[in-house]
Amino acid sequence: MSWSLPVTCTLMETVSTGWAEMLRPGLTVLVRMGRESGETASEAAMEQCASVEREVDKVLQKFLTYGQHCEQSLEELLHHVGQLRAELASAALQGTPLSATLSLVMSQCCRKIKDTVQKLASDHKDIHSSVSRVGKAIDRNFDSEICGVVSDAVWDSREKQQQILQMAIVEHLYQQGMLSVAEELCQESTLNVDLDFKQPFLELNRILEALHEQDLGPALEWAVSHRQRLLELNSSLEFKLHRLHFIRLLAGGPEKQLEALSYARHFQPFARLHQREIQVMMGSLVYLRLGLEKSPYCHLLDNSHWAEICETFTRDACSLLGLSVESPLSVSFASGCVALPVLMNIKAVIEQRQCTGVWSHKDELPIEIELGMKCWYHSVFACPILRQQTSDSNPPIKLICGHVISRDALNKLINGGKLKCPYCPMEQNPADGKRIIF
């Protein structure tokens, strides 16, 4: 898909920070995905990925070498200039005229600065050529006409495409905590984002930043204010936050024992569901004076609890606020990496057989593409009669006998105002069928 975003230098400078370090993980993921699906991926495709990865490795190595050389050269220059400045200051204090030797040293210093700057600029240009070779390697090894996989009639207008793509990028940036970059993109792309849309992401990132700093206050305050809705989701977030705070008090040693006992009263509402875990924490108090590190309860001090609470908070908060845990842009990209080779093959077959009308619907693909269990988000039902997946316009209908078929199949099976189940001989009134929502 060809598209353009009105991104100026300010945004590019913001986004490009550390881009070299970001290239390797992305390509590594693609290569790993190819290896995991080795039964369907060809060796040629793997070689293409490896070829691009080799070019990226060269660029990363040049960035590393250039950075080290640049830092060393600038440090030498600063040291040399510092010494020269001290000598000039000493001569000025003594009131002596500038000697011929000192004048020569100044000329040599200026020449050295000029030569160093020119050398660094020249090395920087060489990096530009290496970066461009990465783009050429991608163009050489991969099909650049991805937008031709489907006809233009399948998509909305170009303006609509650009707006949807921009919104997906902004949502991804908000979800990853890159708030300043998202704001910059909104300003430069003239994309209007409501405060109601941004507020959940701002709040979640604020709380997650506090958790990364091992500050439980904002998360506890949020969990208490949303206690009833979290209970409806069968969430144990609030209990885990109280447990982690209790563990922090235990880590404080015997001096915190009375405070820990007092705080244990927060466990009372959770006693029925988390009785065993509460008993373990209470039992740890016996070893508090001897040190939990050498006791059977040393696992309570494991730092993995902080990573776990961040994951729990993200999952439960996103579920409560109606947000996806993973960025929709990331999921779409990962799914596209799996589906694109198959779609390109389908495109070639369609062109060879001249059956361009096979794929004309916006809401479905010409064939089923297996994306793996990770991309299963909801249940689907295929009608056993028509062999078609049900939809909002053709929902699944449960008959009195318990068998389930699609509404279209039900309408086709009606004969004389009566319906006979295709799986059992029971006759029934079609109006008695009930829609099922999975």
Side-chain angles (χ1 to χ4, degrees), residues 168-389:
I169 295 174
V170 168
E171 182 177 351
H172 175 80
L173 295 174
Y174 276 127
Q175 193 155 359
Q176 298 301 314
M178 304 173 69
L179 307 180
S180 59
V181 182
E183 291 294 333
E184 193 72 34
L185 177 57
C186 290
Q187 292 178 10
E188 299 190 9
S189 62
T190 65
L191 187 66
N192 294 322
V193 179
D194 295 335
L195 181 61
D196 294 339
F197 174 82
K198 295 188 289 186
Q199 190 58 38
F201 297 106
L202 297 176
E203 186 177 17
L204 292 184
N205 280 289
R206 176 181 64 83
I207 296 174
L208 282 173
E209 286 178 5
L211 288 176
H212 290 144
E213 297 293 329
Q214 298 191 357
D215 180 9
L216 294 169
L220 272 170
E221 182 181 350
W222 185 92
V224 171
S225 63
H226 295 83
R227 176 178 296 168
Q228 188 58 40
R229 296 180 63 189
L230 287 172
L231 289 176
E232 292 173 359
L233 295 174
N234 294 322
S235 169
S236 59
L237 174 63
E238 185 180 354
F239 168 75
K240 289 182 177 180
L241 289 169
H242 286 303
R243 181 185 66 175
L244 196 54
H245 185 80
F246 183 83
I247 292 173
R248 291 191 69 181
L249 294 175
L250 294 178
E255 296 80 7
K256 295 286 186 178
Q257 184 173 7
L258 292 178
E259 188 177 349
L261 284 170
S262 177
Y263 193 83
R265 286 178 290 185
H266 288 87
F267 296 136
Q268 184 177 357
F270 311 100
R272 185 175 60 86
L273 295 177
H274 302 279
Q275 180 180 357
R276 176 59 182 165
E277 294 170 273
I278 295 174
Q279 289 174 345
V280 169
M281 286 186 288
M282 293 299 101
S284 66
L285 292 171
V286 177
Y287 294 87
L288 198 58
R289 295 187 180 278
L290 300 176
L292 290 182
E293 298 83 358
K294 300 178 181 179
S295 73
Y297 300 93
C298 59
H299 64 277
L300 294 176
L301 303 178
D302 196 336
N303 284 330
S304 63
H305 293 305
W306 289 100
E308 179 188 351
I309 200 64
C310 289
E311 293 177 2
T312 303
F313 172 77
T314 302
R315 182 183 65 250
D316 292 352
C318 288
S319 178
L320 188 145
L321 298 174
L323 303 174
S324 60
V325 177
E326 293 185 74
S327 162
L329 185 63
S330 300
V331 174
S332 300
F333 178 80
S335 301
C337 291
V338 178
L340 191 58
V342 181
L343 294 178
M344 293 180 70
N345 291 334
I346 290 297
K347 173 198 170 187
V349 172
I350 290 175
E351 290 178 348
Q352 289 175 0
R353 300 188 179 182
Q354 297 181 352
C355 48
T356 55
V358 172
W359 184 11
S360 59
H361 299 289
K362 295 183 179 181
D363 57 349
E364 63 180 24
L365 297 174
I367 60 170
E368 182 177 350
I369 299 178
E370 180 61 49
L371 297 178
M373 290 291 294
K374 188 177 180 180
C375 292
W376 284 19
Y377 296 102
H378 55 81
S379 301
V380 295
F381 175 76
C383 176
I385 306 301
L386 299 181
R387 307 290 182 181
Q388 293 178 351
Q389 183 175 316

Side-chain angles (χ1 to χ4, degrees), residues 5-32:
L5 288 175
V7 181
T8 60
C9 294
T10 305
L11 177 60
M12 291 302 295
E13 291 173 0
T14 307
V15 177
S16 62
T17 302
W19 75 272
E21 290 78 3
M22 295 171 62
L23 281 173
R24 182 189 295 274
L27 283 168
T28 303
V29 169
L30 289 178
V31 173
R32 186 172 68 249

Side-chain angles (χ1 to χ4, degrees), residues 389-410:
Q389 183 175 316
T390 54
S391 61
D392 290 338
S393 59
N394 180 31
I397 303 296
K398 176 180 175 294
L399 305 180
I400 295 178
C401 55
H403 294 110
V404 181
I405 60 177
S406 66
R407 177 178 290 173
D408 288 350
L410 182 146

Side-chain angles (χ1 to χ4, degrees), residues 104-123:
L104 179 61
V105 172
M106 287 182 62
S107 300
Q108 291 176 346
C109 181
C110 293
R111 191 178 303 109
K112 185 176 182 180
I113 293 174
K114 183 178 179 180
D115 293 343
T116 301
V117 171
Q118 290 178 347
K119 179 68 168 60
L120 293 177
S122 177
D123 293 343

Side-chain angles (χ1 to χ4, degrees), residues 9-178:
C9 294
T10 305
L11 177 60
M12 291 302 295
E13 291 173 0
T14 307
V15 177
S16 62
T17 302
W19 75 272
E21 290 78 3
M22 295 171 62
L23 281 173
R24 182 189 295 274
L27 283 168
T28 303
V29 169
L30 289 178
V31 173
R32 186 172 68 249
M33 288 175 63
R35 288 169 182 164
E36 290 176 352
S37 57
E39 296 178 358
T40 57
S42 64
E43 293 183 0
M46 290 303 305
E47 179 58 32
Q48 290 170 342
C49 291
S51 176
V52 176
E53 190 176 26
R54 284 194 293 269
E55 293 295 334
V56 173
D57 288 337
K58 293 178 183 177
V59 174
L60 294 176
Q61 184 59 41
K62 284 197 172 185
F63 264 106
L64 180 62
T65 305
Y66 176 77
Q68 294 173 346
H69 174 66
C70 183
E71 184 177 358
Q72 182 180 357
S73 300
L74 292 177
E75 286 180 355
E76 291 177 357
L77 281 179
L78 289 173
H79 180 69
H80 190 63
V81 171
Q83 289 181 334
L84 182 58
R85 182 180 180 182
E87 292 179 10
L88 289 173
S90 177
L93 289 174
Q94 296 175 4
T96 57
L98 193 64
S99 63
T101 303
L102 201 54
S103 299
L104 179 61
V105 172
M106 287 182 62
S107 300
Q108 291 176 346
C109 181
C110 293
R111 191 178 303 109
K112 185 176 182 180
I113 293 174
K114 183 178 179 180
D115 293 343
T116 301
V117 171
Q118 290 178 347
K119 179 68 168 60
L120 293 177
S122 177
D123 293 343
H124 195 267
K125 289 181 179 179
D126 292 340
I127 294 179
H128 287 185
S129 62
S130 299
V131 173
S132 65
R133 281 197 290 272
V134 174
K136 292 178 181 177
I138 293 174
D139 294 338
R140 183 173 60 253
N141 288 284
F142 298 100
D143 191 346
S144 59
E145 292 298 327
I146 296 176
C147 58
V149 172
V150 295
S151 64
D152 293 336
V154 174
W155 309 106
D156 295 320
S157 63
R158 182 173 296 275
E159 292 76 13
K160 186 68 172 178
Q161 289 182 43
Q162 182 169 330
Q163 183 180 6
I164 293 174
L165 183 57
Q166 289 174 348
M167 198 64 193
I169 295 174
V170 168
E171 182 177 351
H172 175 80
L173 295 174
Y174 276 127
Q175 193 155 359
Q176 298 301 314
M178 304 173 69

